Amino acid sequence: MSSINSGMFTATGQHFGISLTRTASIPEPSLLAFNLRSYLSEYTGYAKIRRAIYVGERCPTLSIESYSIALEELENKTYDTTTYKHIARLLEQLTGERRDTEEWERRVSKEVKEQDTEIRGKLERAKKQVSKKDTLQAQWELVRLQQQRGLMDEAVRALQDGRTSCGGMPEQAELYVEAARVSQVMGRWLQVATYIQRTEAVLPDPDATARAELAVLRAQADFGDCKWSVAVNGLRELSIDTASIVFARKTVTPRDIALYGTLAGLAALDRDQVKQQLLDNVQFGQFLDRMPECQALLQSYYDSKYDDALNMLTRILSFCHLDPVIGPHVTTLKQRIRDNIVVLYIQPFVSVRMSSMATALCFGSTGQLEDTLVRMIDSGLIHARIDGTTG
């Protein structure tokens, strides 16, 4: 893929860059407990930076705070002078206050030059000595430096170059997993899936920790590609304990897993499957404990409390609009889940008045409900007819 699904970050040649064009305005999340700084503190590095900028591009009332957080992370955790200057410019446009970036840029550029020279010297010496171990170690150092600079494409190329210095399959697998991690941060879901396949080809029997990380990466990739049923199948066997090392890296959180599983489940599963695979699933319940709103949504859905479910869904999706993995799919997910609720609502009835149905399912008018029913009838989602005389 040539760009991240969110449309926020684009692969500008070799650099991890950002778009300076504001997207459609989105209000702040309506979840009562939402606090931007607390939310972003659960991530680190480019996962945090990407999310902060995604919020800033979409929510004007949070832009200054989110860009300020991104700038702090860039300054403290990276050598990425290009993205740093872009964010500083955005803040200047919003606040009218100019930030002096030259001193930081000079210091960082000097450090990068020194490290790059040292690492490439190590690589050259290791290759002359035909030492695969030392060559691979230097190659890893180069990967880390390119990542800190925001040169993600070059980091992936360095990982690919490292394959020739691997002493065995486990070392190759480690390179592929890291390439999948880089692709995950960039939101390149096809690449994530590709590197997972390559990992499994050279490491067919990974340990529990590796399996957990591959499951998280695969689920994100499937979710990013709208493969809802595949995503939820991969998540329902995951546990917080086996994935603890994954969460320690702070690129994905237990709350993320609860959101992915809940939304993908409601989009892909029937009512009984939601009960069996999510609500009654002890392992997935550990993730729901971290996001009680998801637990409430699933329970209301199963209990046929559709107005409660739809209201909670709206609140959750107001938060998901600001999530770079879920955000691009909010409209699709909302329609898919609402359609499933419509199907469940009409199942017990031989006939039902549209005015009552519109009220129960939180449609703004019977006209909006009628449009939905016509679309669902035409697409074969429901088998019914609309009586234009009696409603």
Side-chain angles (χ1 to χ4, degrees):
M1 295 176 71
S2 60
S3 65
I4 288 184
N5 291 350
S6 67
M8 273 289 303
F9 292 99
T10 57
T12 55
Q14 298 177 334
H15 194 270
F16 178 79
I18 62 170
S19 166
L20 298 180
T21 303
R22 184 176 297 282
T23 60
S25 176
I26 292 171
E28 291 186 36
S30 58
L31 291 179
L32 295 177
F34 180 79
N35 175 276
L36 180 64
R37 188 167 288 274
S38 176
Y39 159 61
L40 291 175
S41 70
E42 298 180 24
Y43 305 90
T44 192
Y46 278 104
K48 182 175 184 176
I49 293 163
R50 181 188 176 206
R51 286 176 179 272
I53 298 176
Y54 193 89
V55 172
E57 288 263 346
R58 284 155 178 79
C59 186
T61 58
L62 296 175
S63 289
I64 293 176
E65 184 180 7
S66 59
Y67 288 142
S68 297
I69 292 171
L71 201 67
E72 291 171 11
E73 193 75 1
L74 284 161
E75 186 171 342
N76 295 328
K77 301 284 181 68
T78 81
Y79 294 146
D80 188 348
T81 56
T82 300
T83 305
Y84 184 85
K85 286 189 289 187
H86 282 325
I87 301 304
R89 191 191 318 167
L90 282 171
L91 279 171
E92 181 181 346
Q93 292 172 358
L94 291 169
T95 65
E97 299 176 4
R98 179 173 174 75
R99 185 184 183 96
D100 182 13
T101 63
E102 293 181 1
E103 181 179 351
W104 182 82
E105 289 175 49
R106 282 195 297 270
R107 177 174 60 80
V108 165
S109 297
K110 181 181 177 182
E111 290 180 15
V112 167
K113 184 176 181 180
E114 290 173 353
Q115 289 189 36
D116 187 70
T117 300
E118 181 182 354
I119 292 169
R120 293 187 187 279
K122 287 182 181 179
L123 265 174
E124 186 176 348
R125 289 192 297 273
K127 288 179 180 178
K128 285 181 179 179
Q129 296 168 4
V130 197
S131 171
K132 285 191 173 184
K133 180 180 178 181
D134 291 344
T135 300
L136 185 59
Q137 181 178 340
Q139 202 72 40
W140 270 110
E141 292 180 22
L142 182 61
V143 168
R144 302 303 184 200
L145 179 60
Q146 303 295 43
Q147 287 176 309
Q148 283 189 293
R149 296 174 68 188
L151 302 177
M152 301 303 178
D153 289 339
E154 291 197 11
V156 171
R157 277 196 286 273
L159 288 164
Q160 293 171 339
D161 291 343
R163 290 177 300 173
T164 58
S165 303
C166 289
M169 295 299 186
E171 290 177 335
Q172 283 192 40
E174 191 175 355
L175 292 172
Y176 288 138
V177 170
E178 185 63 24
R181 292 174 187 147
V182 175
S183 302
Q184 171 209 34
V185 171
M186 295 291 285
R188 297 177 177 176
W189 308 123
L190 180 59
Q191 288 186 12
V192 172
T194 297
Y195 287 119
I196 290 172
Q197 290 174 354
R198 293 179 182 177
T199 301
E200 292 173 335
V202 298
L203 195 68
D205 188 26
D207 60 28
T209 300
R211 282 199 303 273
E213 177 159 23
L214 292 176
V216 170
L217 288 167
R218 183 184 289 107
Q220 279 196 308
D222 290 332
F223 197 100
D225 279 341
C226 302
K227 298 175 182 176
W228 315 124
S229 60
V230 181
V232 74
N233 281 336
L235 290 172
R236 61 192 178 91
E237 300 300 330
L238 198 65
S239 75
I240 284 182
D241 291 339
T242 57
S244 59
I245 293 179
V246 181
F247 299 134
R249 292 196 181 94
K250 300 184 75 171
T251 58
V252 64
T253 69
R255 185 202 58 246
D256 294 330
I257 301 302
L259 283 167
Y260 301 151
T262 296
L263 296 174
L266 291 175
L269 304 179
D270 63 33
R271 186 170 172 273
D272 289 337
Q273 289 172 326
V274 166
K275 173 73 169 172
Q276 296 163 4
Q277 298 184 25
L278 300 179
L279 281 171
D280 290 347
N281 185 328
V282 175
Q283 293 186 153
F284 190 71
Q286 296 175 323
F287 296 106
L288 293 177
D289 289 341
R290 306 297 180 92
M291 189 76 181
E293 295 88 349
C294 289
Q295 171 80 42
L297 171 57
L298 290 169
Q299 194 64 57
S300 295
Y301 180 89
Y302 180 74
D303 291 341
S304 302
K305 297 177 180 178
Y306 300 128
D307 55 344
D308 291 344
L310 288 165
N311 287 328
M312 182 57 72
L313 177 65
T314 298
R315 291 173 60 193
I316 290 174
L317 291 181
S318 74
F319 167 75
C320 293
H321 270 296
L322 303 181
D323 182 292
V325 179
I326 305 173
H329 311 298
V330 164
T331 300
T332 301
L333 282 164
K334 185 175 183 179
Q335 179 177 301
R336 185 81 170 260
I337 295 170
R338 182 182 277 273
D339 285 355
N340 289 345
I341 288 175
V342 169
V343 171
L344 288 175
Y345 182 88
I346 66 174
Q347 278 179 350
F349 297 103
V350 175
S351 65
V352 60
R353 285 193 174 278
M354 285 201 296
S355 57
S356 301
M357 187 175 177
T359 300
L361 299 185
C362 303
F363 280 89
S365 67
T366 55
Q368 290 180 4
L369 172 60
E370 184 173 354
D371 291 341
T372 297
L373 293 174
V374 168
R375 174 179 54 78
M376 294 179 69
I377 291 169
D378 288 344
S379 60
L381 292 175
I382 55 176
H383 301 286
R385 64 181 180 84
I386 299 173
D387 188 336
T389 302
T390 63

